[in-house]
Amino acid sequence: MAQQRTLSLIKPDGIEKGLIGKIVARFEEQGLKPVAMKLVRLGLPQAEAFYGVHRERPFFKSLCQYMTSGPILAMVLEGENAVAKNREIMGATDPAKAAAGTIRKDFATNVEQNSVHGSDSVENAAIEIAFFFNAFEIQAYEWKKAR
C-alpha cells in the first residue's frame, strides 16, 4: 500500500456545529494522520480559484458563497492510500446516499453543506495541498518523523 497525502477540509457547517474534534478523530481512528492543519476564512476570489474546475456548473456560485460564509479547517492527511481512504470516511457527496457511519451521513445538512471536502485524486491532492499550505508548514511533521 502506498503512503499518500490528501487535502481534507472541514467546511463552515462542520465548524459551526462544533465538529472539528469528532471529524479529526474519525480520520485518526482509521489511520489517517493530520500532518498540517490551519483554520482559515476564504475570500470570494480564493473560493472561486479553489473550486475553479466547477466554474461552469450551476452550483458554482452558491458553493463559493457558502465556502466564504465562515471559517474552514484545512488539513493535510497522511496514510496508506490516503485519497481513497479519506473519501471512504467522508461518504458520498449527497448525505442521503452516504453509507451509514460516514461523516456526511452523520453530520451533513445537504449536498452543499456536507461538512467536509476531500481531494478526488493523488494529482488533485498535490494541487489542493499547495493551495492551502507551503512546504514550511508541512516541514514540522517531516522533521519529527526524521528524529
Side-chain angles (χ1 to χ4, degrees), residues 40-96:
V40 297
R41 181 134 188 198
L42 296 175
L44 190 57
Q46 290 85 23
E48 289 175 344
F50 185 74
Y51 286 107
V53 296
H54 300 301
R55 189 170 302 280
E56 301 305 318
R57 296 234 165 115
F59 60 83
F60 176 73
K61 185 175 180 178
S62 66
L63 175 61
C64 291
Q65 288 173 339
Y66 162 64
M67 290 300 290
T68 61
S69 69
I72 62 172
L73 182 74
M75 298 179 280
V76 178
L77 301 175
E78 183 177 89
E80 288 186 17
N81 294 317
V83 172
K85 185 64 147 177
N86 181 38
R87 296 187 69 75
E88 176 187 322
I89 295 165
M90 289 188 311
T93 302
D94 182 346

Side-chain angles (χ1 to χ4, degrees), residues 4-8 50 75-77 83 117-135 138:
Q4 296 174 343
R5 287 185 173 165
T6 190
L7 181 81
S8 184
F50 185 74
M75 298 179 280
V76 178
L77 301 175
V83 172
H117 163 89
S119 302
D120 63 0
S121 69
V122 173
E123 296 77 21
N124 282 340
I127 294 165
E128 291 181 350
I129 288 168
F131 187 90
F132 284 98
F133 296 92
N134 62 48
I138 301 171

